Amino acid sequence: MSGILPGKRASKEGGAMSSTNWKRTLLVVAALFTIVSIAGFATGQTSTETKGVVNAKGQILSVAAVDFPQFQPYKVRTESEKKACDDYGIKYTLLQPQQVTLEGYLETLTNAINQNFDAILCEPWDYTAFKPVLELAKKKGVPLVAVHQKYPDASYFISMLYIDNAGYGGSAADALAKATGGKANVLFMMTQADIPNQVIIRNTFMDTCKAKYPNIKVVDTLFTNVNTVTAASALEAAIKAYPQIDTAIWLEGATVGVGVDVAKEMGVLSKFRVIGVDDPPDVIASIGKGEAWGTFVQNFWKQGYEGVRNIVDYYTKQPFPKETDCGVVLVDKSNWNNYLPTMWAPVAIKGKAYSK
């Protein structure tokens, strides 16, 4: 296995993801446009509750989500949305774009807005590209919930359930310092240099280390393009060029497993920490085997369930938080086989108060 160390570096500032980078970054999935519609009714309820929440026309609420469930974190989120809709007795429709591109997502979201769903959950990661579609939703009076991303203009959404990326970066630095005695040589593996949330995580990690852990050094930052071959080649070249690297932190979840494979092949796994993001099954299994060191799991369970609950509360005129930091949990050898209760613990399921 050989590769050339990319010369491109992550900038200190991050901008919105361009459609060109998005196309180049992610695999285009040639799947048929998928619509999964589920009308769920919670069990053990009275006849009034079983009817479900209704809109102004007296019809059962119909909620849609635009998402890519073929990827693990989004699968988690959509399953949590389905559970919430089942609990509240409302209809759920999952709209999966035909292609994993920015354009494909925006087209699907536009179609959803024009189908007159009662509310839609979406992830507005490109601030500029999403604006015209958000304007359309506002014009048509379709309530939107933003998940995972905190959009700069909150007026487009009835609520936003996001990850505090600065908090993520600081927590990652603290966790690594605790495990290493405050000494490590780190390589970051990002999707691209201009993915806003990844840039914030990396930069906050570096700022935290500079202020608190001067012996944790970021040696380099490389880009995977969410491609396993690219990731493997880049990592191998980096380890050869900088043999002092003892920790690789991934900020995209699709190629983390490659890190373990490369470290094994190069004979450095025993002294090399592979740190992932979210909970792909292969990474969780690798942690259980003592191979990958750990992974920072973003709470997509809370995003999905509470996003739907916010919609229900909006229609039933109940108070709900307009902004929610969903949080991140470190999964490592100590909790790899029992972390799911931790992810569900802060979720405000039906009948439980929102956390403050």
Side-chain angles (χ1 to χ4, degrees), residues 9-15 165-173 186 188-190 192-212 216 218 220-221 223 249 251:
R9 298 289 187 269
S11 62
K12 188 71 175 176
E13 295 80 26
N165 296 305
Y168 180 163
S171 296
V186 177
F188 270 98
M189 302 291 283
M190 296 171 57
Q192 279 285 352
D194 62 351
I195 309 300
N197 63 316
Q198 295 181 19
V199 171
I200 293 170
I201 294 167
R202 171 186 173 274
N203 289 348
T204 306
F205 177 95
M206 294 175 66
D207 291 342
T208 302
C209 290
K210 182 178 180 181
K212 298 168 62 177
I216 295 181
V218 174
D220 204 355
T221 300
F223 309 101
I249 300 177
L251 298 183

Side-chain angles (χ1 to χ4, degrees), residues 1-6 24-25 187-192 222-238 250 252 254-256 258-259 262:
M1 183 184 298
S2 63
I4 300 174
L5 188 66
R24 185 172 61 245
T25 299
L187 170 70
F188 270 98
M189 302 291 283
M190 296 171 57
T191 301
Q192 279 285 352
L222 304 178
F223 309 101
T224 70
N225 295 324
V226 195
N227 181 288
T228 55
V229 175
T230 300
S233 297
L235 179 59
E236 181 185 4
W250 263 257
E252 57 86 4
T255 67
V256 181
V258 168
V262 170

Side-chain angles (χ1 to χ4, degrees), residues 5-213:
L5 188 66
K8 193 174 182 182
R9 298 289 187 269
S11 62
K12 188 71 175 176
E13 295 80 26
M17 189 191 323
S18 69
S19 60
T20 302
N21 279 338
W22 176 256
K23 284 181 176 179
R24 185 172 61 245
T25 299
L26 292 177
L27 174 67
V28 174
V29 178
L32 293 175
F33 183 84
T34 303
I35 300 180
V36 181
S37 183
I38 296 176
F41 297 92
T43 59
Q45 297 178 329
T46 66
S47 58
T48 301
E49 292 173 327
T50 303
K51 181 181 178 182
V53 180
V54 298
N55 59 21
K57 297 179 181 179
Q59 302 167 331
I60 296 293
L61 279 186
S62 181
V63 174
V66 181
D67 223 327
F68 299 113
Q70 64 268 46
F71 299 110
Q72 173 65 13
Y74 308 132
K75 177 184 177 184
V76 167
R77 184 164 64 201
T78 56
E79 289 176 347
S80 300
E81 291 162 355
K82 292 175 187 177
K83 174 175 170 53
C85 286
D86 182 70
D87 286 352
Y88 285 99
I90 61 178
K91 296 178 182 178
Y92 177 75
T93 301
L94 170 60
L95 302 173
Q96 181 178 338
Q98 183 177 351
Q99 295 182 337
V100 186
T101 63
L102 174 62
E103 290 81 3
Y105 191 100
L106 292 175
E107 180 181 2
T108 305
L109 179 56
T110 300
N111 290 338
I113 293 168
N114 288 323
Q115 289 181 51
N116 296 315
F117 288 101
D118 291 308
I120 302 169
L121 299 103
C122 64
E123 182 175 336
W125 72 86
D126 187 315
Y127 304 153
T128 302
F130 269 78
K131 189 170 183 178
V133 183
L134 301 181
E135 288 284 358
L136 175 64
K138 179 181 283 189
K139 181 179 179 180
K140 293 180 70 70
V142 179
L144 299 178
V145 170
V147 290
H148 201 62
Q149 303 288 342
K150 187 176 182 180
Y151 194 79
D153 186 349
S155 68
Y156 289 113
F157 304 94
I158 64 169
S159 67
M160 297 191 291
L161 300 99
Y162 55 88
I163 298 299
D164 176 4
N165 296 305
Y168 180 163
S171 296
D174 290 339
L176 184 60
K178 182 178 180 181
T180 65
K183 185 176 182 180
N185 292 296
V186 177
L187 170 70
F188 270 98
M189 302 291 283
M190 296 171 57
T191 301
Q192 279 285 352
D194 62 351
I195 309 300
N197 63 316
Q198 295 181 19
V199 171
I200 293 170
I201 294 167
R202 171 186 173 274
N203 289 348
T204 306
F205 177 95
M206 294 175 66
D207 291 342
T208 302
C209 290
K210 182 178 180 181
K212 298 168 62 177
Y213 313 116

